[in-house]
């Protein structure tokens, strides 16, 4: 089912009576990046995904975006849908949203799955890179930026063996508006650092990281893993920064094992 909440496009798969999992996509994608997980988990879980402001079919926004707004949107979806303590599952930018949401209201979740993400905010160099990207998009449009950014995210195994799929992903993301891309860059650039909060997480957390993730490498995610009380870590072979797309079998089996282990 597809409907609008707060002008956001929200998609549900599976039985409403089943336990909910809410999937939050990374940058610059939309909810479709989770299709290989949703296909697998919607038999047993109520899977909710949505397009973050500006992306996919949530397009009626002005691009003046902050991470707080992204988290507010998530909270509205949970409240309006009356979701009972969903598991939250976010990748990279979706992970930033998840971590800040946990910091603001972790009692609304049963557990968290953090894929290819980090708790640190952007350092000065990172902020300048985002600013340069916005300037570049203003002068030459967003298509080349999107192509280069996405190409840099995927690992060699996927690039070599699934080049057509990668091409489709790039073309699809190029169809998003520059307003969406710049809005998310602004939101990520201005996000707060959630590292100090990691030790205050009380719910179970699964951290998933592609073995060849250059953006949020396993060493960075292992540091998070050591700070969280009740955490599991899964390193995904033959995958870069988009592990759920690059090696869905291994990611799905890690998620499945985790959910079983926590009795969800
Ligand atoms: C993502 O995959 O969401 C991005 O790599 C996040 C970022 O640029 O920090």
């Amino acid at each position: 089912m597809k409907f609008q909440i707060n002008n956001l496009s929200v998609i549900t798969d599976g039985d409403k009576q089943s336990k909910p999992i809410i999937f939050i996509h990374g940058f610059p994608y939309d909810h479709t990046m989770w299709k290989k997980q949703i296909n697998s988990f919607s038999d047993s879980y109520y899977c909710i995904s949505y397009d973050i402001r500006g992306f996919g079919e949530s397009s009626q926004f002005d691009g003046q975006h902050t991470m707080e707004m992204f988290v507010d949107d998530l909270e509205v979806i949970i409240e309006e849908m009356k979701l009972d303590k969903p598991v939250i599952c976010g990748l990279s930018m979706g992970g930033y949203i998840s971590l800040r949401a946990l910091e603001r209201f972790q009692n609304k979740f049963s557990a968290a799955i953090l894929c290819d993400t980090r708790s640190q905010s952007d350092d000065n160099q990172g902020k300048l890179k985002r600013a340069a990207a916005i300037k570049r998009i203003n002068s030459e449009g967003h298509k080349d930026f999107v192509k280069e950014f996405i190409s840099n995210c995927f690992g060699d195994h996927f690039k070599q063996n699934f080049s057509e799929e990668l091409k489709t992903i790039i073309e699809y993301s190029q169809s998003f508006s520059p307003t969406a891309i710049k809005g998310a860059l602004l939101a990520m650039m201005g996000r707060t650092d959630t590292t100090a909060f990691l030790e205050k997480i009380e719910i179970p957390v699964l951290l998933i990281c592609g073995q060849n993730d250059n953006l949020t490498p396993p060493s960075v995610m292992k540091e998070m893993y050591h700070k969280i009380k009740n955490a599991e870590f899964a390193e995904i072979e033959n995958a870069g920064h988009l592990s759920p797309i690059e090696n869905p079998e291994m990611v799905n089996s890690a998620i499945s094992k985790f959910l079983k282990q926590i009795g969800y």
Side-chain angles (χ1 to χ4, degrees):
M1 261 180 74
K2 190 187 277 189
F3 47 93
Q4 296 266 318
I5 295 178
N6 218 21
N7 289 322
L8 301 164
S9 179
V10 180
I11 299 91
T12 62
D13 292 271
D15 185 348
K16 208 175 167 190
Q17 304 310 319
S18 304
K19 290 182 175 165
I21 307 179
I22 184 156
F23 292 90
I24 313 180
H25 65 82
F27 169 88
Y29 312 97
D30 71 2
H31 76 278
T32 57
M33 68 144 282
W34 291 112
K35 63 174 180 264
K36 296 173 186 173
Q37 283 63 50
I38 291 172
N39 282 345
S40 159
F41 288 99
S42 54
D43 280 348
S44 334
Y45 293 94
Y46 185 44
C47 296
I48 301 103
S49 56
Y50 67 99
D51 296 338
I52 290 168
R53 303 183 161 231
F55 292 91
E57 292 180 14
S58 299
S59 53
Q60 304 305 315
F61 289 96
D62 65 4
Q64 312 292 305
H65 297 163
T66 66
M67 194 55 62
E68 292 311 290
M69 287 176 189
F70 289 167
V71 177
D72 292 344
D73 288 338
L74 170 66
E75 193 174 19
V76 170
I77 291 171
I78 294 170
E79 295 299 316
E80 294 238 338
M81 293 184 73
K82 299 190 175 34
L83 298 177
D84 183 22
K85 289 198 166 231
V87 166
I88 190 173
C89 175
L91 176 125
S92 198
M93 177 175 74
Y96 308 156
I97 296 171
S98 306
L99 280 163
R100 178 65 184 134
L102 293 184
E103 191 171 33
R104 280 175 44 179
F105 43 84
Q106 69 169 310
N107 61 342
K108 291 190 182 172
F109 301 104
S110 292
I113 302 166
L114 302 172
C115 306
D116 302 281
T117 194
R118 63 169 76 236
S119 56
Q120 292 95 350
S121 52
D122 286 2
D123 59 13
N124 282 350
Q125 203 192 352
K127 287 190 170 98
L128 291 172
K129 251 176 115 174
R130 307 266 194 215
I134 293 171
K135 190 173 173 184
R136 177 180 176 192
I137 294 167
N138 282 339
S139 64
E140 61 179 59
H142 65 296
K143 296 207 170 157
D144 286 346
F145 167 76
V146 165
K147 184 175 178 188
E148 282 165 32
F149 190 91
I150 294 182
S151 304
N152 194 31
C153 286
F154 283 82
D156 289 342
H157 182 267
F158 192 80
K159 282 187 197 160
Q160 280 153 17
N161 296 288
F162 300 93
S163 55
E164 277 309 305
E165 189 177 342
L166 181 58
K167 195 165 159 257
T168 307
I169 292 170
I170 291 171
E171 283 169 3
Y172 184 60
S173 289
Q174 283 174 327
S175 74
F176 300 145
S177 74
T179 308
I181 310 286
K182 290 189 287 180
L185 286 167
L186 281 175
M188 291 191 285
M189 179 161 79
R191 75 187 190 279
T192 55
D193 192 309
T194 51
T195 309
F197 167 70
L198 295 176
E199 62 187 33
K200 297 187 189 126
I201 299 180
E202 302 294 338
I203 59 174
V205 177
L206 169 64
L207 297 128
I208 291 179
C209 189
Q211 200 168 45
N212 307 309
D213 184 340
N214 291 326
L215 281 81
T216 51
S219 57
V220 165
M221 291 205 71
K222 273 188 192 146
E223 276 176 37
M224 292 169 69
Y225 163 66
H226 289 302
K227 290 186 171 121
I228 301 172
K229 280 191 267 291
N230 187 359
E232 297 291 330
F233 182 80
E235 190 164 305
I236 307 300
E237 287 161 16
N238 291 329
H241 188 58
L242 269 299
S243 59
I245 298 177
E246 294 177 75
N247 191 343
E249 295 79 17
M250 204 169 163
V251 166
N252 292 356
S253 112
I255 294 177
S256 195
K257 184 172 162 227
F258 172 70
L259 294 175
K260 229 173 252 155
Q261 202 171 296
I262 62 168
Y264 193 75

